[in-house]
């Protein structure tokens, strides 16, 4: 017969695996609980958002510059690697005692609770996810640590004996003994590990499915947005796609995305509400139906991210459908002493927009609900976002908009301004080379270079190009759509064989030419001439 006994010690590899699987179990069951209550309270997202909040600005800027729209995935992957390594080390140190492993899980649980309760959108039920996470992690570690210490041994039946001749003797001696059944203890641990791993995976998948049960797509598909005042058709000649520029209108799936949300908020139009309050004569609470009942206008607008380096990709153009923000604020009655519109996203992100920019005649600032003929995509702010031409997005383009307060710059400091970004950030006059590409090889002789330029609220007057430091040559401009959108340029050059460098600069209708001085994007936008090195020849 056989029995299970404890060896009193865990091998390093079993301890390390126990630690890793326990942490994964904690994350999986925490994600499941969050999916049923509020997905943003998931420990991985709560801690991730807290990491974003406390990360020094230079590191954030580096992440955006190096990884672009994938910076959030890089953050989550980095956190996962750190957690796995920490869990493996703590588990390996738990050879004789479960204390190191439980201590790590307890520490992670405390961090998750702290990250959850300090979120600006915290409400009491959000604590369920980190508590469930902690309990699941502790339970899994106890189970695996106990299983890792066990092995099965076989013992003879009562009265049985083994008679074995002693070495060097012809006599036999009877003695009691036990022997280990090879592999049985190992199989017990592997079965336990497999059960825990499967449970963690299923819990995580369940959390994802539960979060997706808020059917955003059904809410979007039920809407049919027809503007009362459509945007003018895009004229022919508005872009030079055949010469290498982007199409004038950016498709929704190609529109740049830069924000702090680790998970896209899932809001339905049917339950959306926004309160306009603060320094106003009367508070207004808007529903989505309220917006649909108002005159809908469509405006063609380019959006630019302040993180855009010289020559960077974070500019796109769309036809936005919405309600003029100035009309709604006039109904609310703005206090003349108010100079800032403080807006809040459903995930707690805050933004401050100058009142005078929004209320200026012809500002075209929108509470937007549509983009390129359809309701806003979820990743671009569905159901409602703000769009204000002429300002960088961090002071103008709140997505998943749920609150609007009229206040002052002295009384309210938004998310990025608290991190020493600019209070007011008008978009700077800029230009970019799209053809040729950096370090490309192009034919010698006649060659058409092309790119884009923008000077929002003012308009582009001219774009100039020079090769190898030679004279500035004026480029041909595309047909202008309006002063709030990009404008394409192209120029035919005669290139000698060899290496070259091309530069461009734009001048707006106020006579201001973009400066050559290179300045980093933060705190209020990059400056400098875009420059491309390439080779001409076969």
């Amino acid at each position: 017969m056989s029995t299970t006994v404890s060896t009193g010690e865990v091998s390093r590899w079993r301890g390390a695996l126990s630690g890793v699987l326990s942490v994964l179990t904690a994350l999986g069951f925490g994600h499941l609980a969050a999916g049923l209550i509020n997905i943003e309270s998931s420990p991985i997202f709560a801690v991730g958002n807290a990491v974003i909040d406390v990360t020094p600005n230079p590191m954030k800027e580096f992440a955006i510059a190096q990884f672009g729209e994938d910076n959030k995935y890089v953050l989550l992957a980095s956190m996962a690697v750190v957690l796995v390594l920490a869990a493996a080390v703590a588990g390996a140190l738990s050879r004789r005692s479960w204390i190191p492993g439980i201590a790590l899980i307890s520490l992670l649980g405390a961090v998750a609770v702290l990250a959850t309760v300090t979120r600006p959108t915290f409400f009491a039920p959000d604590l369920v996810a980190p508590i469930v996470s902690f309990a699941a992690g502790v339970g899994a570690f106890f189970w695996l640590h106990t299983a890792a210490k066990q092995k099965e041994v076989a013992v003879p039946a009562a009265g049985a004996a083994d008679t074995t001749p002693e070495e060097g003797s012809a006599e036999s001696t009877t003695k009691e003994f036990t022997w280990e059944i090879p592999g049985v203890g190992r199989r017990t641990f592997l079965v336990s590990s497999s059960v825990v791993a499967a449970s963690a995976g299923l819990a995580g998948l369940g959390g994802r499915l539960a979060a997706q049960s808020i059917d955003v797509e059904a809410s979007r598909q039920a809407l049919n947005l027809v503007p009362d005042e459509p945007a003018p058709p895009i004229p022919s000649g508005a872009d030079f796609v055949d010469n290498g520029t982007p199409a004038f209108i950016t498709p929704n799936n190609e529109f740049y995305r830069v924000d702090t949300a680790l998970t896209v908020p899932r809001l339905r139009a049917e339950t959306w509400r926004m309160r306009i309050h603060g320094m106003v004569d009367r508070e207004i609470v808007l529903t989505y139906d309220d917006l649909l009942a108002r005159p809908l206008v469509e405006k063609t607008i380019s959006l630019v991210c302040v993180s855009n380096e010289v020559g960077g990709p974070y500019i796109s153009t769309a036809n936005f459908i919405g309600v003029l923000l100035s009309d709604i604020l006039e109904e609310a009655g703005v206090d003349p002493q108010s100079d800032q519109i403080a807006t809040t996203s459903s995930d707690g992100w805050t933004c401050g927009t100058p009142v005078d920019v929004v209320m200026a005649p012809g500002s075209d600032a929108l509470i937007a609900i549509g983009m390129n003929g359809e309701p806003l995509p979820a990743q671009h702010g569905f159901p409602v976002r703000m769009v204000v031409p002429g300002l960088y997005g961090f002071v103008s383009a709140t997505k998943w908009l749920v609150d609007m307060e009229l206040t002052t710059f002295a009384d309210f400091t938004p998310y990025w301004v608290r991190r020493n970004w600019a209070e007011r950030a008008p978009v700077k006059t800029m230009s970019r080379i799209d053809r040729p590409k950096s370090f490309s090889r192009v034919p010698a002789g006649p060659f058409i270079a092309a790119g884009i330029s923008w000077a929002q609220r003012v308009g582009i007057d001219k774009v100039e190009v020079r090769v190898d430091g030679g004279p500035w040559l004026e480029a041909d401009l595309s047909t202008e759509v309006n002063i709030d959108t990009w404008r394409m340029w192209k120029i035919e050059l005669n290139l000698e064989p060899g290496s070259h460098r091309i530069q461009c600069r734009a001048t707006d209708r106020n006579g201001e030419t973009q400066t050559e001085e290179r300045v980093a994007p933060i705190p209020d936008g990059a400056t400098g001439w875009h420059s491309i090195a390439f080779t001409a020849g076969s």
Side-chain angles (χ1 to χ4, degrees), residues 201-416:
L202 290 173
L205 178 61
R208 180 174 181 179
L209 294 176
Q212 292 177 342
S213 65
I214 301 175
D215 197 345
V216 175
E217 276 309 303
S219 183
R220 290 184 71 248
Q221 296 301 323
L223 298 169
N224 181 27
L225 303 182
V226 179
D228 299 285
E229 183 185 318
I234 305 301
S236 60
D239 59 39
F240 298 134
V241 172
D242 292 342
N243 300 121
T245 71
F248 189 85
I249 295 295
T250 309
N252 288 350
N253 63 344
E254 297 177 14
F255 205 98
Y256 82 88
R257 179 194 167 197
V258 177
D259 52 55
T260 63
L262 280 178
T263 180
V264 175
R266 301 183 66 80
L267 307 176
R268 289 177 60 86
E270 295 87 341
T271 57
W272 178 83
R273 299 286 186 278
M274 182 179 72
R275 184 168 70 111
I276 301 174
H277 59 107
M279 299 174 68
V280 294
D281 296 337
R282 65 194 66 84
E283 289 192 6
I284 295 177
V285 176
L286 292 174
T287 66
Y288 202 89
D289 285 341
D290 291 333
L291 295 179
L292 293 177
R294 293 168 180 266
L296 295 179
V297 299
E298 185 177 43
K299 302 291 182 180
T300 308
I301 298 170
S302 294
L303 294 185
V304 190
C305 181
V306 73
S307 300
N308 208 35
E309 298 277 358
V310 173
Y314 302 135
I315 176 171
S316 302
T317 301
N319 286 320
F320 290 99
I321 299 172
V323 177
L324 289 174
L325 179 53
S326 59
D327 289 351
I328 292 178
L329 293 182
E330 285 176 359
E331 290 181 24
V334 178
D335 187 323
Q337 300 302 312
S338 173
D339 59 10
Q340 180 177 213
I341 304 169
T343 49
T344 303
S345 167
S346 67
D347 66 352
W349 184 83
T350 55
C351 168
T353 307
V355 171
D356 58 351
V357 173
V358 170
M359 301 304 290
S363 76
D364 288 344
L366 296 176
I367 294 181
I369 60 175
M371 183 175 178
N372 290 335
E374 63 181 71
L376 291 168
Q379 66 269 30
H380 291 296
F382 182 81
V384 179
R385 70 172 297 167
M386 196 161 78
V387 175
V388 182
L391 300 176
Y392 288 115
F394 80 98
V395 296
S396 69
T398 306
K399 293 185 279 192
W400 312 293
L401 180 63
V402 294
D403 188 81
M404 181 177 292
E405 179 183 4
L406 275 293
T407 181
T408 66
F409 284 105
D411 291 334
F412 179 79
T413 306
Y415 182 92
W416 283 115

Side-chain angles (χ1 to χ4, degrees), residues 94-166:
S94 302
R95 296 186 66 193
R96 294 179 175 84
S97 170
W98 45 260
I99 292 177
I102 296 300
L104 174 66
I105 295 171
S106 299
L107 175 62
L108 295 177
V111 170
V113 168
L114 180 63
T116 300
V117 300
T118 54
R119 293 303 298 162
T121 56
F122 168 73
F123 70 117
D126 289 346
L127 282 174
V128 171
I131 291 172
V132 168
S133 177
F134 169 73
V138 168
F141 190 78
F142 269 126
W143 181 16
L144 293 174
H145 192 267
T146 301
K149 289 170 41 176
Q150 293 178 347
K151 67 178 180 181
E152 291 192 14
V153 297
V155 297
D162 178 35
T163 304
T164 305
E166 291 184 353

Side-chain angles (χ1 to χ4, degrees), residues 412-455:
F412 179 79
T413 306
Y415 182 92
W416 283 115
V417 179
R418 291 199 302 270
R419 291 154 177 80
N420 299 318
W421 292 24
E423 279 188 346
R424 300 167 179 264
V427 174
K428 296 177 178 177
T429 298
M430 290 292 288
S431 57
R432 183 184 82 191
I433 300 163
D434 287 274
R435 184 174 188 258
K437 299 297 183 184
S438 185
F439 303 114
S440 63
R441 180 177 291 274
V442 304
F447 175 81
I448 295 179
I452 63 174
S453 60
W454 60 94

